[in-house]
Amino acid sequence: MIDLRATVDGIAALQLPSGMIPWYPGGHCDPWNHVETAMALSVGGRRREAERAYRWLNDVQNRDGSWFNYYVEGGISDYRLDTNVVAYIAVGVWHHYLVTGDNDFLAAMWPTVERALDFVVRLQQSTGEVLWCIEPDLTPGRFALLTGSSSIYLSLRCGVALGDRLGKQRPDWELAAGRLRHAIAYAPERFEPKDRWAMDWYYPVLCGAVTGAAAHARMAERWDEFVME
């Protein structure tokens, strides 16, 4: 418990008055890791700081629902729009609700989550996968990433759960999640090969797209390659 408190206190000490949480003092912030740190604050009992972190995301969200890759205090340092980064707020907001049971927070963040997931779904291909980014020159990324799409699948499931809790059903997100899950589980050729990294191995299981016997088989297949004693 002492270690948990020290970790959470360290994260809170990094938070800027705006609510943004940089990687390190004077460093940049990316919305995906920002959500991760907000979840840590929620778990550690720092509810006020966590909600400030989510309000910052609401404040800097682009009109199309996206966020840029990297922010610095007072500006932006990377203008790429990463679909996995954009979608992840749904995971954080649902997590904060599960920790706090705060329906008012959920309702306040719903428009932000809705805009974000709608942006991501617009980049889903007819075969299920989601393009990984929009480049700074506004051209779409040339491929989809398995790890990123796995995280997007979890984000969509959390978004559906969030909407259901508020009585705002989004069947289009359900369908998008189903198409994405099929691509992740059965069509690996639709993703840019990155299998030299462990994340492409375990993320399809971690996000719940691959389950049961297939998940056990997937983990066993490369366990000795990626897991060290």
Side-chain angles (χ1 to χ4, degrees), residues 47 95-106 165:
R47 179 172 174 175
H95 173 269
H96 189 75
Y97 168 75
L98 293 177
V99 172
T100 66
D102 187 345
N103 276 301
D104 290 339
F105 168 81
L106 208 60
R165 182 66 185 84

Side-chain angles (χ1 to χ4, degrees), residues 177-225:
R179 291 195 299 269
L180 183 53
R181 179 182 180 275
H182 187 273
I184 292 167
Y186 301 110
E189 72 279 0
R190 293 176 186 163
F191 301 94
E192 183 75 3
K194 300 283 185 180
D195 57 2
R196 63 187 181 279
W197 289 306
M199 286 193 298
D200 267 18
W201 166 60
Y202 69 80
Y203 252 70
V205 176
L206 181 67
C207 77
V210 178
T211 59
H216 285 282
R218 184 182 186 91
M219 297 306 292
E221 184 179 12
R222 304 185 72 184
W223 185 270
D224 292 337
E225 182 178 351

